[in-house]
Amino acid sequence: MAFLDNSGDIILDAVLTDTGRLRLAQGDGSFKISKFALGDDEINYGLYDKDNANGSAYYDLQVLQTPILEAFSNNSSNLKTKLVSLPRTNLLYMPILKLNENNITEPATAQNDRPTKTFSRQGGQTFVDFTYGGANKSDSKFYVAVDNFTFTQLTRFTSGSAGSATNPNDITIPTVGVLQGYQAGNEGPSGGIIRVDHGLDTNEISTGVGIDADLTENAFIVEMDYRLGRLKEPSSNNLAGVNFIDDDNVATYYVGSGAMINPKGAPSNTNVTNETFTGTADDTTPTELQNIAPQVFDGPRGNTFQFRIQASMELNQSVYLFNQIGQSENADASGNLAGFPTTSSPVSGMKIYYIDSTVRVIGANTGYRLDIPIRFIKIAN
Amino acid sequence: MAKSFKQLLGDDIRNTRTMLHEAIPITGTIASGTYTGATLDENVKKFSHGMFESVYDYPFLSSSANHIFDITYGCSTSVSSSGNTQNAKKLNIYNQMAQILMGYDTGSQIRKFDSDGTLNDGGAGQMDHCFFLNFSRLLTKDEIKKNSFRLQLFTSGGVSGNGSTRGVLQTLGDYRAGTEYRISPAGDYGLIFTSSAGTDTQGNDASVGLLFYQAGIAVLTSSIFQKDFGTPAAVLSDSAGVKGVVAAATGSTIEALADSFRHTIHDVDFNNTIELNSTIYFCRIGHNEFNYSSNPTYISGSRLVVKNQSSDLPHSYITTVGLYSPDNELMAVAKLSEPIKKDPNTELTLRVRLDY
């Protein structure tokens, strides 16, 4: 994609997106333009030099010299960051979205305590007749187990007591960050969720101040590859309704209410951070809410958005898509991505299939967006 | 409430239609197939059926080649004869072109080409021997612009050797079409004359062909050619008082006639027309709108990097305009060539035009 010529008059280079062309070709009236938004994808506000000694005319000199790329026709490659309308001009702080990975490090014992962390497994465990010598495994992704077998294998080392097992199948190694990506009868305490919080990421404002009403995000947009997964509520197997699926099979969900927003109540704005999990399932008192809702913001907190991902039936039933757009490795290979042992492994001779993708969460009003890395994983022959 | 979308109102959307024109020059060396130098006719594709040949702008076997036009020849039933070479194919070509371009008379008979546009079959101006130049849609686009077609043609002499025996260069054109054209089943057509005065070389007020604008087809009578008319290899002279082109019409194949015609072309020029239907979206940005950004670099520790204190005016920089469906699906995108600063002291209207 070339740069636009910026040597003369300001020009506007307009193009239909691939989705726009698709809707136009469908001829069913789905091509309708009713609103607009403005973006500043190319702008790096870090170049804004408000301390420039030459005066205010030089503050944004570098910003204004930013060359602009031609328009992409791929709809998901444009307007990644939108401009926001707020009638007030006196704002000094704006809230953001942040992945909440805080605080829950203990093995899951209650549904309210389903881990929000990305994948990690503790290695180097010694048992009665067996030493799991692998190093600690961690990844900056959430692992979505696409079927029951995979989930069982990934989490079978997660409960029990070290030092007592004699069979590798009974080994117990803490594992977090594995989502139950299939239609399970019981989502269970260790099914895993993804939690995104909205708030002010600063310690310059007390949490007690709270977020102003006009800055509160009360609706979220989720985009994910529909070939791979579906959006699911955090505490049930209910799938969210899809708003539309674009030409690249990216599904868009608009979540304005329901079980995904503040499922355990609004986050506490008491000025505490990094609370310790108490193991209490009762979540009705403010203190317990704090305990089961570990915070990522030192400043005022808005709503939380919590969800799970269910793998598509294609991933659940076959390895076709894994072979087409994913990768694989031997499940007992040294350093394998799931942290399985290389000897006496219950998945010896099997393969780990995986597809790396991204789930995008966007504040429907504030426009802030967060890309969350996801790995769909399947263990099979 | 913070918002990142703004509704377009009825007054913000306008439809318009624009005619764009491009100049299309085709030099004679492309038509004659001599421009590549080493090998003749590399850019001319011939077919085993022998009913027409195609001229490309480049050796046609190359994937870079673009189709420019086709040439063929046809004759009407009035002059056909079973003894003529490829008589059936010449007749079929004529009838095919006539039924598409001229249509049928009230008796459901195919109407013949009529150089004066009077549609009186059998009367003056009926063209029985015709050369057809079918221009590619790549060049003509929606239609040929009226009164822009000019065809420079050598109307006498053979093309053997280096072609120096060619003569009587005439510039044919639809000179009067700016103010006078006719309607056919295939759209508008104009008359082709040999000069802007509308007269032939003998001073007669007579057209020598028809130009169908939307179809992109020029129909020329073979009567335009005088004396010799032939391929580079064999000159057909006007021995025994017979015009070369008449002799060729009866004794030569369509391919040979097309070859000969190609070598008489000196130059072709016309303007095409592209009909652009546009929707214009006026994106009106008020003074209190879009002054903040969700760009991650816009804040540091949730604090705006463009402000020192809360009383400073916020501002943002616009680089992109996105047009969305009611479902927030991005339908079109427009990029500014340089960032525009937006603050509460400014109001903007960005005019985004989508062409169809």
Side-chain angles (χ1 to χ4, degrees):
Chain A
M1 207 53 58
F3 288 118
L4 292 169
D5 182 357
N6 58 3
S7 61
D9 293 338
I10 296 176
I11 59 169
L12 203 57
D13 167 45
V15 65
L16 283 177
T17 62
D18 46 7
T19 296
R21 293 200 301 269
L22 174 72
R23 301 297 178 219
L24 200 58
Q26 285 174 335
D28 57 0
S30 57
F31 182 82
K32 184 180 179 187
I33 291 172
S34 67
K35 59 178 91 168
F36 73 93
L38 303 177
D40 59 356
D41 293 357
E42 289 92 346
I43 301 298
N44 176 7
Y45 287 91
L47 297 176
Y48 189 81
D49 181 12
K50 60 188 176 189
D51 298 320
N52 193 301
N54 294 317
S56 57
Y58 291 83
Y59 290 179
D60 60 359
L61 199 58
Q62 289 189 74
V63 174
L64 289 171
Q65 288 174 343
T66 303
I68 308 299
L69 291 164
E70 288 177 320
F72 294 93
S73 59
N74 183 15
N75 60 307
S76 57
S77 303
N78 289 289
L79 281 112
K80 289 196 276 289
T81 59
K82 295 188 182 74
L83 301 189
V84 180
S85 295
L86 282 161
R88 291 192 286 159
T89 62
N90 60 352
L91 277 180
L92 193 56
Y93 296 90
M94 288 183 70
I96 64 168
L97 295 177
K98 199 169 184 179
L99 186 64
N100 189 331
E101 293 189 85
N102 251 3
N103 200 39
I104 298 177
T105 56
E106 297 300 318
T109 55
Q111 183 170 322
N112 295 331
D113 182 32
R114 279 170 291 162
T116 62
K117 279 189 166 299
T118 50
F119 178 77
S120 72
R121 161 174 285 177
Q122 187 178 336
Q125 300 294 296
T126 301
F127 302 91
V128 175
D129 295 324
F130 181 82
T131 298
Y132 172 64
N136 292 346
K137 296 293 294 186
S138 65
D139 204 340
S140 57
K141 306 177 183 70
F142 287 93
Y143 280 23
V144 179
V146 303
D147 56 29
N148 186 30
F149 178 77
T150 302
F151 183 76
T152 303
Q153 299 310 315
L154 286 173
T155 58
R156 72 184 313 156
F157 310 109
T158 61
S159 62
S161 56
S164 63
T166 57
N167 186 330
N169 289 350
D170 298 329
I171 289 173
T172 57
I173 302 173
T175 303
V176 295
V178 181
L179 276 64
Q180 221 168 356
Y182 55 98
Q183 191 79 10
N186 172 16
E187 60 271 16
S190 55
I193 60 167
I194 299 173
R195 170 174 166 167
V196 174
D197 285 8
H198 184 248
L200 289 175
D201 193 21
T202 177
N203 56 13
E204 296 173 4
I205 302 177
S206 165
T207 55
V209 173
I211 288 191
D212 294 336
D214 59 353
L215 294 177
T216 301
E217 187 59 81
N218 52 20
F220 297 87
I221 295 169
V222 179
E223 297 174 357
M224 74 167 78
D225 192 325
Y226 199 69
R227 293 172 301 176
L228 307 179
R230 315 280 188 265
L231 186 67
K232 190 157 77 169
E233 291 182 356
S235 300
S236 76
N237 281 315
N238 294 336
L239 298 179
V242 181
N243 258 38
F244 58 85
I245 301 170
D246 76 4
D247 62 303
D248 302 314
N249 287 309
V250 175
T252 299
Y253 300 84
Y254 183 90
V255 183
S257 60
M260 295 188 214
I261 299 177
N262 295 335
K264 300 299 178 188
S268 166
N269 264 325
T270 305
N271 193 12
V272 288
T273 58
N274 297 325
E275 304 87 344
T276 303
F277 175 67
T278 63
T280 307
D282 179 0
D283 55 0
T284 56
T285 69
T287 303
E288 285 163 342
L289 271 175
Q290 294 161 21
N291 289 337
I292 64 167
Q295 307 302 324
V296 286
F297 292 120
D298 289 336
R301 295 141 194 169
N303 293 322
T304 73
F305 179 59
Q306 301 182 30
F307 63 96
R308 296 189 298 159
I309 294 169
Q310 178 167 307
S312 67
M313 196 52 71
E314 287 84 349
L315 296 189
N316 181 272
Q317 294 292 319
S318 81
V319 296
Y320 175 76
L321 275 176
F322 289 100
N323 288 328
Q324 290 292 310
I325 57 176
Q327 300 173 71
S328 65
E329 65 180 28
N330 291 329
D332 54 1
S334 175
N336 64 78
L337 60 88
F340 291 133
T342 55
T343 57
S344 304
S345 169
V347 291
S348 178
M350 304 183 88
K351 279 193 163 184
I352 302 171
Y353 296 89
Y354 60 100
I355 300 172
D356 290 338
S357 184
T358 301
V359 172
R360 179 169 298 149
V361 178
I362 306 166
N365 299 309
T366 57
Y368 201 89
R369 61 192 261 166
L370 196 61
D371 290 342
I372 302 169
I374 300 292
R375 172 168 285 171
F376 292 91
I377 186 166
K378 183 182 181 78
I379 298 167
N381 288 312
Chain B
M1 179 60 71
K3 288 189 293 187
S4 49
F5 293 100
K6 183 174 182 183
Q7 290 290 329
L8 289 162
L9 306 176
D11 200 33
D12 297 332
I13 303 173
R14 278 287 171 268
N15 295 315
T16 182
R17 196 177 71 151
T18 313
M19 297 292 185
L20 294 183
H21 303 290
E22 297 171 318
I24 307 293
I26 304 169
T27 65
T29 55
I30 289 179
S32 67
T34 57
Y35 82 104
T36 54
T39 309
L40 198 65
D41 289 354
E42 273 186 311
N43 66 317
V44 180
K45 187 175 184 180
K46 300 179 181 181
F47 301 89
S48 57
H49 54 64
M51 295 181 75
F52 66 90
E53 58 186 33
S54 301
V55 177
Y56 289 74
D57 63 350
Y58 205 64
F60 64 84
L61 290 175
S62 165
S63 59
S64 305
N66 294 301
H67 184 201
I68 300 294
F69 62 87
D70 298 320
I71 302 180
T72 187
Y73 169 86
C75 63
S76 76
T77 50
S78 304
V79 295
S80 68
S81 164
S82 58
N84 293 349
T85 304
Q86 281 191 321
N87 183 59
K89 288 185 175 178
K90 290 172 181 172
L91 199 55
N92 290 346
I93 288 287
Y94 186 96
N95 286 336
Q96 179 192 349
M97 302 302 284
Q99 75 183 92
I100 291 172
L101 299 175
M102 298 302 289
Y104 304 87
D105 61 18
T106 52
S108 296
Q109 299 299 306
I110 297 172
R111 198 184 291 281
K112 293 185 173 58
F113 288 104
D114 192 350
S115 67
D116 57 13
T118 55
L119 303 182
N120 56 338
D121 281 3
Q126 178 173 308
M127 297 191 293
D128 293 318
H129 297 275
C130 297
F131 288 97
F132 301 97
L133 281 173
N134 299 23
F135 292 96
S136 160
R137 199 180 63 194
L138 177 72
L139 300 187
T140 61
K141 299 289 175 63
D142 290 328
E143 65 177 279
I144 295 171
K145 185 186 177 188
K146 295 181 178 68
N147 194 17
S148 73
F149 182 81
R150 299 293 181 267
L151 168 62
Q152 288 191 298
L153 207 62
F154 291 102
T155 58
S156 182
V159 292
S160 60
N162 61 6
S164 59
T165 58
R166 294 180 299 180
V168 193
L169 181 65
Q170 292 194 322
T171 303
L172 314 185
D174 58 335
Y175 294 105
R176 296 180 183 173
T179 55
E180 176 192 344
Y181 60 88
R182 291 159 172 76
I183 312 295
S184 82
D188 304 339
Y189 70 95
L191 308 186
I192 295 176
F193 296 97
T194 53
S195 73
S196 58
T199 56
D200 63 17
T201 52
Q202 281 76 46
N204 301 317
D205 184 1
S207 66
V208 294
L210 306 174
L211 180 64
F212 293 84
Y213 296 104
Q214 284 87 19
I217 296 175
V219 183
L220 290 174
T221 174
S222 65
S223 308
I224 188 75
F225 295 106
Q226 308 159 30
K227 300 183 180 177
D228 292 346
F229 179 79
T231 64
V235 176
L236 298 170
S237 69
D238 60 340
S239 59
V242 179
K243 275 187 174 182
V245 70
V246 175
T250 56
S252 296
T253 61
I254 293 175
E255 192 174 282
L257 283 154
D259 279 343
S260 301
F261 186 89
R262 281 192 295 111
H263 287 86
T264 66
I265 294 175
H266 183 263
D267 184 45
V268 185
D269 292 285
F270 61 86
N271 283 8
N272 67 20
T273 302
I274 304 163
E275 189 176 314
L276 272 185
N277 290 293
S278 308
T279 305
I280 299 171
Y281 299 90
F282 293 95
C283 301
R284 306 183 203 278
I285 305 158
H287 63 89
N288 60 349
E289 294 173 327
F290 300 108
N291 293 319
Y292 296 92
S293 172
S294 61
N295 191 316
T297 65
Y298 193 65
I299 50 178
S300 174
S302 276
R303 184 175 176 138
L304 273 60
V305 299
V306 297
K307 295 176 81 168
N308 279 319
Q309 50 197 7
S310 60
S311 59
D312 292 343
L313 287 180
H315 61 267
S316 59
Y317 297 90
I318 305 167
T319 67
T320 312
V321 184
L323 301 178
Y324 286 83
S325 73
D327 282 343
N328 297 338
E329 199 171 12
L330 184 60
M331 294 289 158
V333 64
K335 300 295 290 254
L336 290 157
S337 57
E338 58 187 73
I340 293 180
K341 185 177 180 178
K342 176 70 186 71
D343 64 31
N345 292 325
T346 55
E347 290 206 341
L348 298 167
T349 298
L350 297 175
R351 182 177 172 275
V352 181
R353 194 181 82 182
L354 292 180
D355 297 330
Y356 301 97

Short mmCIF file of all heavy atoms in Angstrom, two decimals, chain B residues 36-55:
data_model
loop_
_atom_site.label_atom_id
_atom_site.label_comp_id
_atom_site.label_asym_id
_atom_site.label_seq_id
_atom_site.Cartn_x
_atom_site.Cartn_y
_atom_site.Cartn_z
N THR B 36 6.55 -3.89 -33.89
CA THR B 36 7.52 -4.69 -33.15
C THR B 36 8.80 -4.87 -33.94
O THR B 36 9.81 -5.29 -33.40
CB THR B 36 6.94 -6.07 -32.81
OG1 THR B 36 6.47 -6.68 -34.01
CG2 THR B 36 5.79 -5.95 -31.83
N GLY B 37 8.78 -4.57 -35.22
CA GLY B 37 10.01 -4.56 -36.01
C GLY B 37 10.37 -5.91 -36.57
O GLY B 37 10.09 -6.19 -37.73
N ALA B 38 10.95 -6.76 -35.74
CA ALA B 38 11.56 -7.99 -36.25
C ALA B 38 10.55 -8.91 -36.93
O ALA B 38 10.75 -9.37 -38.05
CB ALA B 38 12.25 -8.72 -35.11
N THR B 39 9.47 -9.15 -36.25
CA THR B 39 8.48 -10.10 -36.78
C THR B 39 7.17 -9.39 -37.04
O THR B 39 6.65 -8.71 -36.16
CB THR B 39 8.24 -11.24 -35.78
OG1 THR B 39 9.50 -11.78 -35.40
CG2 THR B 39 7.38 -12.33 -36.40
N LEU B 40 6.68 -9.55 -38.25
CA LEU B 40 5.44 -8.87 -38.63
C LEU B 40 4.24 -9.54 -37.97
O LEU B 40 4.21 -10.75 -37.79
CB LEU B 40 5.31 -8.92 -40.15
CG LEU B 40 4.35 -7.93 -40.80
CD1 LEU B 40 4.83 -6.50 -40.58
CD2 LEU B 40 4.21 -8.23 -42.29
N ASP B 41 3.29 -8.73 -37.61
CA ASP B 41 1.98 -9.23 -37.15
C ASP B 41 2.02 -10.05 -35.87
O ASP B 41 1.15 -10.88 -35.62
CB ASP B 41 1.31 -10.08 -38.25
CG ASP B 41 0.85 -9.23 -39.41
OD1 ASP B 41 0.95 -7.99 -39.29
OD2 ASP B 41 0.43 -9.80 -40.43
N GLU B 42 3.04 -9.83 -35.03
CA GLU B 42 3.07 -10.55 -33.75
C GLU B 42 1.89 -10.17 -32.87
O GLU B 42 1.50 -10.93 -31.99
CB GLU B 42 4.36 -10.21 -32.98
CG GLU B 42 5.54 -11.08 -33.33
CD GLU B 42 6.71 -10.78 -32.42
OE1 GLU B 42 7.03 -9.58 -32.28
OE2 GLU B 42 7.29 -11.71 -31.87
N ASN B 43 1.38 -8.97 -33.11
CA ASN B 43 0.28 -8.49 -32.26
C ASN B 43 -1.07 -8.69 -32.92
O ASN B 43 -2.07 -8.16 -32.44
CB ASN B 43 0.47 -7.01 -31.93
CG ASN B 43 0.36 -6.13 -33.15
OD1 ASN B 43 0.90 -6.48 -34.20
ND2 ASN B 43 -0.35 -5.02 -33.04
N VAL B 44 -1.09 -9.43 -34.00
CA VAL B 44 -2.36 -9.66 -34.70
C VAL B 44 -2.71 -11.14 -34.59
O VAL B 44 -1.96 -12.00 -35.03
CB VAL B 44 -2.26 -9.25 -36.18
CG1 VAL B 44 -3.59 -9.50 -36.89
CG2 VAL B 44 -1.87 -7.79 -36.30
N LYS B 45 -3.81 -11.39 -33.98
CA LYS B 45 -4.21 -12.77 -33.75
C LYS B 45 -5.19 -13.18 -34.84
O LYS B 45 -6.21 -12.50 -35.06
CB LYS B 45 -4.87 -12.89 -32.38
CG LYS B 45 -5.18 -14.32 -31.97
CD LYS B 45 -5.72 -14.35 -30.55
CE LYS B 45 -5.95 -15.78 -30.09
NZ LYS B 45 -6.46 -15.80 -28.70
N LYS B 46 -4.86 -14.29 -35.49
CA LYS B 46 -5.75 -14.79 -36.54
C LYS B 46 -6.34 -16.12 -36.09
O LYS B 46 -5.77 -16.82 -35.27
CB LYS B 46 -4.96 -14.95 -37.84
CG LYS B 46 -4.38 -13.61 -38.30
CD LYS B 46 -3.58 -13.70 -39.56
CE LYS B 46 -3.04 -12.32 -39.91
NZ LYS B 46 -2.26 -12.29 -41.15
N PHE B 47 -7.47 -16.43 -36.65
CA PHE B 47 -8.21 -17.60 -36.19
C PHE B 47 -8.42 -18.57 -37.34
O PHE B 47 -8.54 -18.16 -38.50
CB PHE B 47 -9.57 -17.18 -35.62
CG PHE B 47 -9.46 -16.21 -34.47
CD1 PHE B 47 -9.42 -14.84 -34.69
CD2 PHE B 47 -9.38 -16.67 -33.17
CE1 PHE B 47 -9.31 -13.95 -33.64
CE2 PHE B 47 -9.27 -15.79 -32.11
CZ PHE B 47 -9.23 -14.43 -32.34
N SER B 48 -8.48 -19.85 -36.98
CA SER B 48 -8.63 -20.87 -38.03
C SER B 48 -9.96 -20.73 -38.76
O SER B 48 -10.08 -21.08 -39.92
CB SER B 48 -8.49 -22.27 -37.42
OG SER B 48 -9.46 -22.44 -36.40
N HIS B 49 -10.97 -20.21 -38.06
CA HIS B 49 -12.26 -20.04 -38.75
C HIS B 49 -12.22 -18.91 -39.76
O HIS B 49 -13.04 -18.83 -40.65
CB HIS B 49 -13.39 -19.78 -37.75
CG HIS B 49 -13.14 -18.65 -36.80
ND1 HIS B 49 -13.03 -17.35 -37.22
CD2 HIS B 49 -12.96 -18.64 -35.46
CE1 HIS B 49 -12.81 -16.57 -36.17
NE2 HIS B 49 -12.75 -17.33 -35.07
N GLY B 50 -11.25 -18.01 -39.64
CA GLY B 50 -11.03 -16.98 -40.64
C GLY B 50 -12.11 -15.94 -40.75
O GLY B 50 -12.24 -15.27 -41.78
N MET B 51 -12.89 -15.73 -39.71
CA MET B 51 -14.01 -14.78 -39.82
C MET B 51 -13.65 -13.38 -39.34
O MET B 51 -14.37 -12.43 -39.62
CB MET B 51 -15.23 -15.30 -39.07
CG MET B 51 -15.77 -16.58 -39.70
SD MET B 51 -17.22 -17.22 -38.87
CE MET B 51 -18.48 -16.10 -39.43
N PHE B 52 -12.60 -13.25 -38.59
CA PHE B 52 -12.12 -11.93 -38.19
C PHE B 52 -10.71 -12.09 -37.66
O PHE B 52 -10.22 -13.22 -37.48
CB PHE B 52 -13.03 -11.30 -37.12
CG PHE B 52 -13.05 -12.00 -35.80
CD1 PHE B 52 -12.14 -11.65 -34.79
CD2 PHE B 52 -13.96 -13.02 -35.54
CE1 PHE B 52 -12.16 -12.31 -33.57
CE2 PHE B 52 -13.98 -13.67 -34.33
CZ PHE B 52 -13.08 -13.32 -33.34
N GLU B 53 -10.05 -10.99 -37.45
CA GLU B 53 -8.77 -11.04 -36.78
C GLU B 53 -8.70 -9.94 -35.73
O GLU B 53 -9.37 -8.92 -35.83
CB GLU B 53 -7.60 -10.97 -37.76
CG GLU B 53 -7.57 -9.77 -38.64
CD GLU B 53 -6.45 -9.87 -39.69
OE1 GLU B 53 -6.15 -10.99 -40.14
OE2 GLU B 53 -5.89 -8.82 -40.04
N SER B 54 -7.88 -10.19 -34.72
CA SER B 54 -7.84 -9.30 -33.56
C SER B 54 -6.48 -8.62 -33.47
O SER B 54 -5.44 -9.26 -33.67
CB SER B 54 -8.08 -10.08 -32.27
OG SER B 54 -9.33 -10.72 -32.31
N VAL B 55 -6.52 -7.33 -33.16
CA VAL B 55 -5.29 -6.55 -33.03
C VAL B 55 -5.07 -6.26 -31.55
O VAL B 55 -5.99 -5.81 -30.85
CB VAL B 55 -5.39 -5.24 -33.82
CG1 VAL B 55 -4.14 -4.39 -33.63
CG2 VAL B 55 -5.62 -5.53 -35.29
#
